[in-house]
Every structure is written in structure tokens, then in C-alpha cells.
Amino acid sequence: MIRGIDDPALLRRGFTLYPRGVMAVAARVDGVLTGFAVSAFTSVSLDPPLGLICVDKASTTWPSLSRAETLGVSVLAEEHAWLGRQLASRRGDRFAGAEFDERPGGALWLRGSVARFDASIDAVHDGGDHLLVVLRVSDMEADPSVAPLLWHDTSFGAVAPLGNK
């Protein structure tokens, strides 16, 4: 059992116990492939179509990525576990071995992902040590037959059906 919010490491661990998907947020900015992985993504509104990502204020990638005309948000599939770690790394080529399709406006969609969204930045709000970035979705495609990658308790995992459909 872990308890308390006074220790940031314990609080972070508590937050990781909520399973969630992993997204690649990527675009070509000034001719350079730019992006990172996020696990803090949620739908906000259907009308207008809005989503939200949370970005660490200490990110050295966000200042460049935030200048993109459009961002690609791709929900990683189980087979992308290697890429989830690579996109989260602060060293090396985050895009090595990954296949992206470039969209009008520079958004990058990861091939083989569960869902892909084109989005522009609608608003940015302060969220403590993170930025709450509201994205206006302009296009989307999804393949429900592809199994998503999950982030849970500091490890990647998979969705396992309970058989109660």
C-alpha cells in the first residue's frame, strides 16, 4: 500500500496505477520530424471535436512541436511497445524504425496504430508542472480490430477481454 501526496515519487506511482493508452504526438516542423509519447490524453467534446493532452512544462520538444500547423495524435498498438519507450526517450532518434504518413499541414500518423487524429492547438492552460493542451480535431481514422497498447504501473500492457460482452 502506498499513501500520501507529500512524496512526489509515491504520488507519481499512484497515478500510474490508472491504466491508459499511449499516444504518439508528432509533426514535421521546419522540415524535422518532431514528437513524443504521451499517456495523458482524453476526449473533451464531440461538438466541437476536442481532445486534450498533458505536456510536461520541462519538455524540450514541446516548444518546437507547438509551432506545427497540425499535430498527429496516434494511439499506439500493442506491437508499438518498443516505440512507446523510444518516443519517451530524451536521447537518440525517436523516430528510428517507425513508419509515419505525413498529412497536409505536417501532422504525422503512425502506420498500424489503433486511431489517428489530425488536430490543431485550440487552447493551452496552466496545469501545475504540466500544460493542458486542448486540441481541435479536424480528421480521424481508426481500426477497432487493432489492439491498443496500455501504460499501467510503469509498464506496458495489453487489453484482456473479460468475456462479458
Side-chain angles (χ1 to χ4, degrees):
M1 174 73 72
I2 58 175
R3 183 182 180 109
I5 63 169
D6 295 334
D7 182 340
L10 291 178
L11 181 59
R12 179 187 308 263
R13 178 77 193 282
F15 284 154
T16 71
L17 296 176
Y18 177 72
R20 52 204 184 270
V22 181
M23 276 57 59
V25 179
R28 185 178 298 276
V29 181
D30 299 329
V32 178
L33 299 181
T34 307
F36 47 51
V38 300
S39 61
F41 170 80
T42 190
S43 60
V44 173
S45 170
L46 297 176
D47 186 17
L50 300 174
L52 177 125
I53 61 172
C54 298
V55 178
D56 190 330
K57 285 182 179 177
S59 170
T60 57
T61 303
W62 179 246
S64 176
L65 192 58
S66 69
R67 294 185 295 107
E69 181 182 334
T70 58
L71 301 172
V73 179
S74 301
V75 180
L76 273 63
E78 286 178 2
E79 69 184 50
H80 294 130
W82 64 274
L83 183 58
R85 292 246 183 248
Q86 189 170 292
L87 286 169
S89 176
R90 295 187 177 167
R91 287 176 272 180
D93 180 359
R94 289 181 173 163
F95 293 89
E99 295 181 345
F100 286 85
D101 293 316
E102 187 166 347
R103 308 276 299 157
L108 298 174
W109 281 8
L110 176 63
R111 289 185 190 162
S113 54
V114 179
R116 295 158 287 282
F117 304 89
D118 274 0
S120 58
I121 298 169
D122 191 73
V124 179
H125 303 282
D126 187 83
D129 59 5
H130 278 65
L131 298 170
L132 309 177
V133 181
V134 179
L135 301 173
R136 183 172 294 261
V137 177
S138 59
D139 198 6
M140 181 277 291
E141 75 175 31
D143 184 349
S145 71
V146 177
L149 180 66
L150 293 184
W151 178 249
H152 175 253
D153 197 14
T154 70
S155 297
F156 290 122
V159 174
L162 297 175
N164 58 352
K165 281 190 173 185

